[in-house]
Amino acid sequence: MESLVKILQEQKGFSESESMIATYLLANFRKLAGMSTRELAKNAYTNSAAIVRFSQKLGFTGYTEFKVKFLAEMMQHINRPSNNELLVSTHDSIHSLIEKVTAIEIDTLKHTRALLDPEAFLRALPLFSKSEHIDFYAMDNNLDIARIAASGFIMANKCSSVHSSMTMQYLQATGGKKHLGFFISRTGNNRMLVDIARLLKMKKSPIILITANNNSELAAMADVTFTVASVENMEELGPRVFLLGAKYVTDILFAMLMTRLDYNETRQKEQWLSKNFRY
């Protein structure tokens, strides 16, 4: 789900009346907590019905639900450090780097949380339940996140495969019908991954995607898309920001799957591993 604050700022596809509402909300959000729909309508030079329609256009049942979400996002938005404060430079001391990297990673998680739609996890759950095997599709550093996720999913009784070779990933896509395709792609437009996704769609295999671009080719084919934060410049850790957000999503999915298991069985696995293997 795209940031609500960003939607109001960009005002894409808004009518003149909706733009006036959005502008007022952004400028006066501190006053909204105790403001009724009628008062907001009066201050924004519109009517109560228009406020309700505006809230519903953005995917909410009404103004009250919209207001709760909007105020929560605005508080996160205003508390975010400015970009300049987070830029890593050659002049930074070790102490400064520790503080900046900590701030960047905390900010990434908060931003990703604002982008995530809880309903996406609910849509993903039956895909995991019906699948006998999870096939990961990723390249470069994203393979590291895939491997971490796969090891966790195995503990949650979901067999997973991660292949670094693209040839093996193509072959993997020709596997059984009850396989779930799990893609991790920052741009969502990688040519080889798009080819694999098309093959899976022809087989009617379900697809889950983690990406920073929910308007990508992969997102158009995915059954469930999780959009996470990302930045381009290296001074803000560049692609590593996406990796952090992607791992955050896989950790939530792991926790979701674990809550459906018998914890005694999981503990027995851990005890067996600790007894038979030395790390």
Side-chain angles (χ1 to χ4, degrees):
M1 178 184 289
E2 190 175 4
S3 166
L4 187 55
V5 173
K6 184 178 180 181
I7 292 173
L8 297 187
Q9 289 173 333
E10 294 180 349
Q11 299 179 16
K12 292 180 180 177
F14 281 17
S15 65
E16 183 177 350
S17 174
E18 290 167 344
S19 293
M20 290 178 64
I21 295 171
T23 301
Y24 181 85
L25 289 169
L26 291 169
N28 300 276
F29 69 93
R30 289 184 175 85
K31 303 176 184 178
L32 295 182
M35 188 180 295
S36 67
T37 308
R38 182 176 299 178
E39 290 172 319
L40 172 60
K42 180 180 178 181
N43 293 335
Y45 302 101
T46 185
N47 55 66
S48 299
I51 298 295
V52 173
R53 288 195 299 271
F54 178 77
S55 302
Q56 292 173 340
K57 178 176 181 176
L58 296 175
F60 299 92
T61 56
Y63 171 63
T64 300
E65 184 183 1
F66 161 82
K67 181 168 70 172
V68 171
K69 175 69 172 176
F70 171 65
L71 290 179
E73 280 200 23
M74 279 303 298
M75 292 309 297
Q76 289 184 353
H77 181 75
I78 62 175
N79 288 327
R80 290 179 67 187
S82 68
N83 288 339
N84 288 335
E85 291 176 326
L86 295 181
L87 295 180
V88 174
S89 75
T90 56
H91 303 293
D92 282 317
S93 65
I94 294 299
H95 176 77
S96 176
L97 288 173
I98 291 172
E99 294 302 318
K100 284 188 176 182
V101 171
T102 301
I104 288 171
E105 297 205 350
I106 291 174
D107 185 53
T108 297
L109 293 178
K110 287 182 177 179
H111 187 193
T112 298
R113 170 61 188 91
L115 293 172
L116 291 177
D117 181 1
E119 291 188 3
F121 290 93
L122 294 176
R123 294 196 301 273
L125 182 57
L127 299 184
F128 278 99
S129 299
K130 295 176 183 177
S131 299
E132 295 178 350
H133 202 281
I134 301 170
D135 298 329
F136 281 90
Y137 299 97
M139 296 181 67
D140 303 322
N141 290 335
N142 293 336
L143 284 166
D144 296 333
I145 305 302
R147 293 187 184 98
I148 294 171
S151 64
F153 291 166
I154 288 173
M155 292 299 294
N157 289 344
K158 286 296 175 183
C159 292
S160 306
S161 296
V162 181
H163 297 288
S164 57
S165 163
M166 286 308 300
T167 300
M168 290 302 299
Q169 290 191 40
Y170 273 105
L171 289 174
Q172 180 176 255
T174 64
K177 292 183 178 180
K178 291 189 177 181
H179 285 221
L180 169 63
F182 197 121
F183 289 73
I184 304 176
S185 172
R186 184 173 63 86
T187 66
N189 290 317
N190 179 280
R191 182 182 60 78
M192 289 180 283
L193 294 181
V194 168
D195 286 345
I196 292 173
R198 286 175 179 154
L199 175 59
L200 293 180
K201 292 302 288 184
M202 289 174 59
K203 295 172 52 187
K204 298 184 179 179
S205 297
I207 294 174
I208 287 178
L209 169 68
I210 297 178
T211 185
N213 181 8
N214 60 3
N215 293 315
S216 62
E217 290 185 77
L218 282 176
M221 289 185 280
D223 296 273
V224 179
T225 298
F226 296 102
T227 308
V228 306
S230 182
V231 294
E232 296 294 336
N233 58 46
M234 290 305 298
E235 292 84 358
E236 292 181 90
L237 302 189
R240 302 201 66 80
V241 167
F242 171 76
L243 296 177
L244 179 63
K247 182 180 180 298
Y248 172 55
V249 171
T250 62
D251 285 346
I252 296 174
L253 290 170
F254 168 69
M256 179 182 72
L257 294 174
M258 288 297 293
T259 59
R260 269 66 183 175
L261 293 182
D262 180 354
Y263 281 104
N264 289 327
E265 182 183 345
T266 303
R267 290 193 189 97
Q268 289 175 2
K269 287 183 180 180
E270 292 177 341
Q271 290 169 0
W272 185 86
L273 285 171
S274 62
K275 180 180 179 181
N276 292 279
F277 291 90
R278 298 293 182 265
Y279 297 99

